[in-house]
Amino acid sequence: MSLTLSLDFQFTTSVDKLWSALTDASKLAKWIADNDFQPVVGHRFQFRMPPRNGWNGIIEGEVLLVEEPHRLSYTLESGEKHTVTLTLQDLGDGKVNLHLEQTGIGNEQGLQGARWGWTNWCGQLAKLLEP
Protein backbone atom coordinates (compact mmCIF):
# COMPACT_ATOMS: atom_id res chain seq x y z
CA MET A 1 0.00 0.00 0.00
CA SER A 2 1.35 3.41 -0.89
CA LEU A 3 0.50 6.78 0.59
CA THR A 4 -0.50 10.01 -1.16
CA LEU A 5 0.49 13.53 -0.14
CA SER A 6 -2.03 16.23 -1.06
CA LEU A 7 -1.23 19.90 -0.41
CA ASP A 8 -2.56 23.28 -1.54
CA PHE A 9 -0.61 26.53 -1.63
CA GLN A 10 -1.95 29.96 -2.56
CA PHE A 11 0.30 32.55 -4.18
CA THR A 12 -0.19 36.19 -5.09
CA THR A 13 0.78 36.00 -8.74
CA SER A 14 -0.59 35.11 -12.17
CA VAL A 15 -1.04 31.59 -13.54
CA ASP A 16 1.58 32.35 -16.22
CA LYS A 17 4.21 33.47 -13.67
CA LEU A 18 3.58 30.43 -11.46
CA TRP A 19 3.72 28.11 -14.48
CA SER A 20 7.05 29.65 -15.46
CA ALA A 21 8.42 29.11 -11.92
CA LEU A 22 7.35 25.45 -12.12
CA THR A 23 8.79 24.74 -15.56
CA ASP A 24 11.81 27.03 -16.16
CA ALA A 25 15.02 25.27 -15.06
CA SER A 26 16.72 28.50 -13.93
CA LYS A 27 13.69 29.41 -11.76
CA LEU A 28 13.38 25.85 -10.38
CA ALA A 29 17.04 26.12 -9.33
CA LYS A 30 16.11 29.12 -7.16
CA TRP A 31 13.42 27.33 -5.12
CA ILE A 32 14.18 23.59 -5.37
CA ALA A 33 17.66 22.72 -6.66
CA ASP A 34 20.00 22.79 -9.63
CA ASN A 35 18.38 20.78 -12.43
CA ASP A 36 18.08 20.10 -16.15
CA PHE A 37 14.26 20.15 -16.26
CA GLN A 38 12.37 20.80 -19.50
CA PRO A 39 8.56 20.82 -19.77
CA VAL A 40 8.53 18.18 -22.51
CA VAL A 41 6.70 14.86 -22.10
CA GLY A 42 9.25 12.06 -21.89
CA HIS A 43 12.14 14.35 -20.87
CA ARG A 44 14.32 12.75 -18.19
CA PHE A 45 15.84 15.17 -15.71
CA GLN A 46 17.67 15.43 -12.40
CA PHE A 47 17.41 17.65 -9.35
CA ARG A 48 20.93 17.86 -7.88
CA MET A 49 21.29 18.65 -4.18
CA PRO A 50 24.32 18.47 -1.89
CA PRO A 51 25.07 14.83 -0.92
CA ARG A 52 24.47 13.96 2.74
CA ASN A 53 24.24 10.98 5.11
CA GLY A 54 25.22 8.47 2.40
CA TRP A 55 22.71 9.88 -0.14
CA ASN A 56 24.23 11.12 -3.43
CA GLY A 57 21.85 14.12 -3.61
CA ILE A 58 20.41 13.13 -7.00
CA ILE A 59 16.66 12.88 -7.65
CA GLU A 60 15.84 11.43 -11.07
CA GLY A 61 12.63 12.36 -12.86
CA GLU A 62 10.65 12.03 -16.05
CA VAL A 63 8.01 14.42 -17.34
CA LEU A 64 4.68 12.59 -17.78
CA LEU A 65 2.18 15.34 -18.63
CA VAL A 66 2.33 18.99 -19.73
CA GLU A 67 -0.96 20.89 -20.09
CA GLU A 68 0.35 24.48 -20.17
CA PRO A 69 -0.39 26.50 -18.08
CA HIS A 70 -2.60 24.47 -15.74
CA ARG A 71 -1.28 20.95 -15.17
CA LEU A 72 2.13 19.30 -14.95
CA SER A 73 3.07 15.79 -13.86
CA TYR A 74 6.41 14.05 -13.46
CA THR A 75 8.08 11.23 -11.60
CA LEU A 76 10.64 11.72 -8.86
CA GLU A 77 12.91 8.81 -7.91
CA SER A 78 15.54 8.53 -5.24
CA GLY A 79 15.01 5.07 -3.77
CA GLU A 80 11.20 5.05 -4.22
CA LYS A 81 9.55 6.24 -7.42
CA HIS A 82 6.82 8.84 -6.83
CA THR A 83 4.52 10.69 -9.20
CA VAL A 84 3.96 14.40 -8.62
CA THR A 85 1.03 16.21 -10.23
CA LEU A 86 0.77 19.99 -9.99
CA THR A 87 -2.51 21.74 -10.85
CA LEU A 88 -2.82 25.53 -11.07
CA GLN A 89 -6.14 27.32 -10.57
CA ASP A 90 -6.75 31.04 -10.96
CA LEU A 91 -8.67 32.20 -7.85
CA GLY A 92 -9.15 35.77 -9.10
CA ASP A 93 -7.90 38.97 -7.43
CA GLY A 94 -4.31 38.08 -8.38
CA LYS A 95 -4.33 34.78 -6.44
CA VAL A 96 -3.45 31.34 -7.79
CA ASN A 97 -3.89 27.99 -6.05
CA LEU A 98 -1.26 25.30 -6.57
CA HIS A 99 -2.60 21.84 -5.78
CA LEU A 100 0.14 19.27 -5.33
CA GLU A 101 -0.40 15.53 -5.23
CA GLN A 102 2.48 13.11 -4.73
CA THR A 103 1.65 9.40 -5.00
CA GLY A 104 3.62 6.21 -4.41
CA ILE A 105 5.07 7.10 -0.99
CA GLY A 106 6.01 3.90 0.83
CA ASN A 107 5.59 4.81 4.49
CA GLU A 108 4.58 7.48 7.01
CA GLN A 109 8.15 8.73 7.44
CA GLY A 110 8.40 9.27 3.68
CA LEU A 111 5.03 11.06 3.70
CA GLN A 112 6.16 13.43 6.45
CA GLY A 113 9.50 14.02 4.70
CA ALA A 114 7.72 14.88 1.45
CA ARG A 115 5.32 17.21 3.32
CA TRP A 116 8.26 18.98 4.99
CA GLY A 117 10.17 19.24 1.70
CA TRP A 118 7.31 20.66 -0.37
CA THR A 119 6.23 23.07 2.39
CA ASN A 120 9.79 24.35 2.64
CA TRP A 121 10.25 24.57 -1.14
CA CYS A 122 6.92 26.35 -1.63
CA GLY A 123 7.98 28.91 0.99
CA GLN A 124 10.99 29.60 -1.24
CA LEU A 125 8.68 29.68 -4.28
CA ALA A 126 6.51 32.35 -2.60
CA LYS A 127 9.62 34.51 -2.13
CA LEU A 128 10.55 34.03 -5.79
CA LEU A 129 7.05 35.13 -6.88
CA GLU A 130 6.99 38.26 -4.70
CA PRO A 131 6.53 41.38 -6.81
Side-chain angles (χ1 to χ4, degrees), residues 11 30-31 120-131:
F11 299 99
K30 292 178 180 174
W31 67 277
N120 197 29
W121 286 338
C122 285
Q124 296 301 313
L125 176 57
K127 292 177 185 173
L128 178 69
L129 293 170
E130 286 178 356

Side-chain angles (χ1 to χ4, degrees), residues 63-93:
V63 177
L64 301 175
L65 173 75
V66 178
E67 293 177 358
E68 184 177 354
H70 294 288
R71 198 170 159 148
L72 174 69
S73 182
Y74 49 78
T75 62
L76 292 178
E77 186 170 3
S78 179
E80 292 184 342
K81 186 174 185 178
H82 301 168
T83 298
V84 174
T85 302
L86 304 167
T87 305
L88 290 69
Q89 179 184 11
D90 189 342
L91 300 174
D93 292 331

